[in-house]
Amino acid sequence: MNKSELIDALAEKKGLTYKKAEEIVNIVLDTMSETLISGGRIEIRGFGSLVVKDYKPYTGRNPKTGEEIEVKPKKLPFFKVGKELRERINND
Amino acid sequence: MTKADLVEKVYLKTGFSKKESSDIVEMVFDLMKSTLENGEKIKLAGFGNFVVKQKATRRGRNPQTGAEIEISSRNILTFKPSQVLKAAINGQD
């Protein structure tokens, strides 16, 4: 499922126009992105949580050439699945 | 940030009531959950991809007792952030 399919499904379930459903999906995703960009934490009960983790610099290797490369410190969002969704994807 | 904050944003930016905003935000996550439950991935351009992956049965140890145990096969959910989101988080946009 991609974003436009999610918008279509939302529009159908809630009797909204595509444009209105798109506006809502964009508000949700933009708000989540902005939270992560400002270093905040997202917690959606039943779905999961997202936090930004700090990664230290390290020396890596180009797996093709074996050449050493310095990997700079970086931040990455980390997702932890919520209890309900974890059980559902395992059909518990 | 929780679901309540998302509801508030939708309420302030659209013409929907609080109740409607809450129902709609709930539906967005319900749709994503049922998609993932069916083993289908979700690709949200500009944000990232949620993918269900199967992990095979493997041997592990109880870290407290050292006893060997079998860890059953299971499905896990991974999130791969988009390049756009990664760059923005690292202040590169």
Side-chain angles (χ1 to χ4, degrees):
Chain A
M1 168 187 262
N2 61 26
K3 192 163 140 186
S4 69
E5 288 165 336
L6 175 63
I7 294 166
D8 272 331
L10 180 66
E12 197 206 330
K13 287 273 186 185
K14 287 290 163 192
L16 306 170
T17 61
Y18 182 89
K19 208 167 162 46
K20 205 71 192 165
E22 183 181 33
E23 187 189 348
I24 288 155
V25 169
N26 282 334
I27 292 171
V28 168
L29 294 178
D30 289 348
T31 306
M32 288 170 68
S33 295
E34 283 158 19
T35 300
L36 294 173
I37 291 164
S38 61
R41 173 194 167 84
I42 301 170
E43 190 166 341
I44 308 295
R45 192 161 302 173
F47 186 76
S49 58
L50 279 157
V51 287
V52 175
K53 283 193 178 178
D54 276 300
Y55 290 83
K56 289 181 183 152
Y58 60 94
T59 307
R61 265 179 204 282
N62 179 326
K64 275 200 184 117
T65 64
E67 188 193 350
E68 276 198 2
I69 35 171
E70 291 303 319
V71 181
K72 289 181 185 152
K74 61 186 166 188
K75 292 176 183 164
L76 284 175
F78 179 82
F79 176 73
K80 185 168 184 257
V81 66
K83 185 169 181 284
E84 183 205 329
L85 186 52
R86 187 181 64 228
E87 288 170 356
R88 283 177 64 176
I89 61 172
N90 282 289
N91 304 310
D92 288 348
Chain B
M1 193 217 77
T2 65
K3 204 147 53 187
D5 299 297
L6 294 175
V7 171
E8 187 69 15
K9 270 277 167 72
V10 170
Y11 166 69
L12 292 172
K13 292 194 169 194
T14 65
F16 294 111
S17 69
K18 286 213 173 176
K19 172 82 171 72
E20 287 165 331
S21 301
S22 172
D23 288 349
I24 293 168
V25 169
E26 198 68 50
M27 182 56 74
V28 172
F29 289 102
D30 281 352
L31 288 165
M32 299 211 297
K33 284 189 277 189
S34 26
T35 300
L36 294 166
E37 186 178 9
N38 293 331
E40 200 191 321
K41 67 179 149 202
I42 300 176
K43 295 159 76 164
L44 300 170
F47 190 74
N49 299 344
F50 291 94
V51 183
V52 176
K53 288 185 178 164
Q54 286 166 354
K55 298 277 269 186
T57 304
R58 64 196 161 96
R59 296 208 154 276
R61 276 184 194 280
N62 178 329
Q64 250 152 45
T65 65
E68 239 194 40
I69 43 169
E70 185 174 85
I71 300 168
S72 58
S73 65
R74 63 195 62 200
N75 293 333
I76 58 155
L77 179 56
T78 61
F79 172 67
K80 189 167 182 243
S82 73
Q83 291 298 334
V84 176
L85 181 60
K86 275 201 278 187
I89 286 173
N90 286 284
Q92 290 162 356
D93 59 343

